Amino acid sequence: MNAVANTWSDKVHVIAVYTVEAHPKKNNSPYSGKPWEFGYSTIYQAYTYPVRTSYARTFEKQLSKNITLLVDNLDTFNKDINPVWCTYGPAPNGAWLIHNNGGKPVVKFAQPWFKKAELEAHLP
């Protein structure tokens, strides 16, 4: 993602959305419904928005300055939980090329798993 943002920053906006943890430490994975940990599973699942934003700030340090980081909502009071993750498909490493068609966003290309070369083939 950093390479795409750095190479194409003059033509596209790269946005990362921090959503649910795919492989949280000592919590159930949203993909398996049971613990699914790996060596890199160092973060617990966030159950409040302030915790999620705290995790996102840590993640942001790994991102290129050409990437805008957004945090998916976790407002349990209004039942607006993970709207981006739920709308665009629950994918832990997905990528979407969204064209601003006169102010009406249109998904031009989607990947359930980010693959740089495939995505770049669809860029202007």
Side-chain angles (χ1 to χ4, degrees):
M1 185 170 31
N2 284 334
V4 170
N6 292 336
T7 302
W8 296 90
S9 65
D10 62 328
K11 299 201 185 286
V12 299
H13 298 283
V14 177
I15 299 170
V17 182
Y18 194 92
T19 64
V20 298
E21 289 294 325
H23 303 286
K25 182 178 183 176
K26 296 184 180 181
N27 295 120
N28 290 342
S29 167
Y31 300 102
S32 67
K34 59 185 177 184
W36 190 10
E37 288 186 49
F38 290 93
Y40 54 80
S41 299
T42 59
I43 297 176
Y44 297 95
Q45 196 64 266
Y47 293 105
T48 66
Y49 193 72
V51 171
R52 182 175 281 173
T53 57
S54 170
Y55 292 168
R57 281 199 265 323
T58 300
F59 172 68
E60 188 174 32
K61 294 173 185 172
Q62 302 171 37
L63 297 178
S64 162
K65 64 178 178 60
N66 294 316
I67 297 176
T68 300
L69 179 63
L70 303 177
V71 181
D72 207 1
N73 197 12
L74 193 56
D75 183 354
T76 56
F77 294 108
N78 292 321
K79 306 293 188 240
D80 190 16
I81 302 171
N82 304 310
V84 175
W85 186 73
C86 291
T87 300
Y88 285 94
N93 195 31
W96 295 264
L97 181 59
I98 301 172
H99 178 71
N100 182 2
N101 187 22
K104 183 178 180 187
V106 176
V107 176
K108 291 291 193 177
F109 180 70
Q111 295 177 307
W113 193 264
F114 171 67
K115 294 178 184 166
K116 179 180 178 283
E118 286 181 23
L119 182 71
E120 285 184 321
H122 294 280
L123 292 174

